[in-house]
């Protein structure tokens, strides 16, 4: 629960520190500029608010790992929902308005998470999870998108180390096997989710796991 807050706060602080021209730079998400990614974060924050306000009575059907579905193809930016996000982002002519919207909705999502009962059950995407597992899944979401945000902005602070470590551990649960200990958390997340191709040396260290990459999360 606390890690969710630290990861989300760090990501929103990174966005708040962007210059206007940074919003027009590429992000680590294929086909998306930084402004498109920030618009997606607004939608993510709305999803958190909606889910935390959607109590469930049935038994849990998923946890932080099984919340994620593995796809076949990495995102290209051409999916209809991705394209909608691009159009929404373009409607914010002033990037400060987009940053303000994220701060406004994002702060509310952060407060709702802090106030939520970790053991309560919530429903989302035809799944039932504990609040703890739902927010745990979002630590991975925040961390990956923080890496996406800073992919072409080297002067921007990255995600907290504890968020990287927890996200790597969750990705390993999803994959069903660990990445080599010699692989740094950031590299495991970037290569594991297809955000960059592993180097030849990394493929050698990964062994058979290299043939299963990438793990496309959806």
């Amino acid at each position: 629960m606390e890690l969710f807050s630290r990861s989300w706060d760090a990501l929103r602080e990174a966005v708040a520190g962007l210059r206007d021209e940074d919003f027009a730079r590429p992000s680590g998400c294929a086909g998306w500029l930084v402004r498109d990614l920030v618009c997606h974060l607004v939608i993510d924050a709305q999803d958190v608010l909606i889910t935390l306000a959607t109590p469930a009575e049935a038994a849990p059907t998923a946890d932080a790992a099984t919340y994620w579905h593995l796809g076949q193809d990495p995102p290209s930016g051409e999916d209809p929902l991705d394209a909608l996000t691009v159009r929404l982002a373009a409607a914010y002519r002033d990037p400060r308005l987009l940053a303000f919207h994220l701060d406004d909705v994002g702060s509310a999502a952060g407060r709702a998470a802090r106030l939520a009962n970790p053991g309560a059950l919530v429903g989302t995407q035809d799944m039932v999870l504990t609040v703890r597992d739902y927010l745990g899944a979002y630590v991975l979401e925040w961390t990956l998108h923080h890496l996406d945000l800073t992919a072409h902005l080297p002067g921007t602070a990255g995600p907290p180390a504890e968020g990287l470590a927890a996200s790597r551990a969750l990705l390993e649960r999803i994959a069903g096997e660990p990445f080599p200990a010699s692989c740094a958390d950031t590299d495991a997340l970037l290569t594991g989710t297809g955000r960059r191709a592993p180097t030849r040396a990394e493929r050698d260290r990964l062994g058979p796991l290299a043939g299963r990459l990438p793990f496309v999360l959806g």
Side-chain angles (χ1 to χ4, degrees), residues 42-89:
V42 173
I43 296 171
D44 268 351
Q46 292 172 341
D47 285 345
V48 170
L49 284 169
I50 291 168
T51 299
L52 293 180
T54 307
E57 297 182 358
T61 60
D63 60 19
T66 56
Y67 168 87
W68 296 100
H69 303 287
L70 292 179
Q72 297 295 319
D73 300 313
S76 64
E78 298 178 358
D79 176 89
L81 183 57
D82 291 347
L84 174 61
T85 300
V86 171
R87 293 197 296 274
L88 287 173

Side-chain angles (χ1 to χ4, degrees), residues 7-55:
S7 299
W8 185 221
D9 289 348
L11 178 51
R12 291 190 295 113
E13 287 171 10
V15 172
L18 297 178
R19 301 168 299 177
D20 286 0
E21 58 266 32
D22 292 335
F23 285 82
R25 295 182 183 274
S27 78
C29 292
W32 277 5
L33 302 176
V34 166
R35 72 181 187 189
D36 305 324
L37 173 60
V38 175
C39 186
H40 172 74
L41 295 178
V42 173
I43 296 171
D44 268 351
Q46 292 172 341
D47 285 345
V48 170
L49 284 169
I50 291 168
T51 299
L52 293 180
T54 307

Side-chain angles (χ1 to χ4, degrees), residues 37-154:
L37 173 60
V38 175
C39 186
H40 172 74
L41 295 178
V42 173
I43 296 171
D44 268 351
Q46 292 172 341
D47 285 345
V48 170
L49 284 169
I50 291 168
T51 299
L52 293 180
T54 307
E57 297 182 358
T61 60
D63 60 19
T66 56
Y67 168 87
W68 296 100
H69 303 287
L70 292 179
Q72 297 295 319
D73 300 313
S76 64
E78 298 178 358
D79 176 89
L81 183 57
D82 291 347
L84 174 61
T85 300
V86 171
R87 293 197 296 274
L88 287 173
Y92 290 90
R93 294 176 181 267
D94 182 349
R96 289 298 110 197
L97 293 177
L98 179 55
F100 173 79
H101 196 181
L102 176 63
D103 181 65
D104 193 32
V105 181
S107 295
R111 289 192 298 271
R114 288 184 174 93
L115 293 171
N117 176 357
L121 297 174
V122 291
T124 182
Q125 301 179 50
D126 297 322
M127 293 180 285
V128 176
L129 305 89
T130 64
V131 167
R132 181 183 292 105
D133 275 317
Y134 175 69
L135 297 182
Y138 257 86
V139 172
L140 177 56
E141 174 85 355
W142 300 149
T143 301
L144 289 174
H145 283 327
H146 201 146
L147 293 173
D148 292 331
L149 179 75
T150 60
H152 301 282
L153 297 171

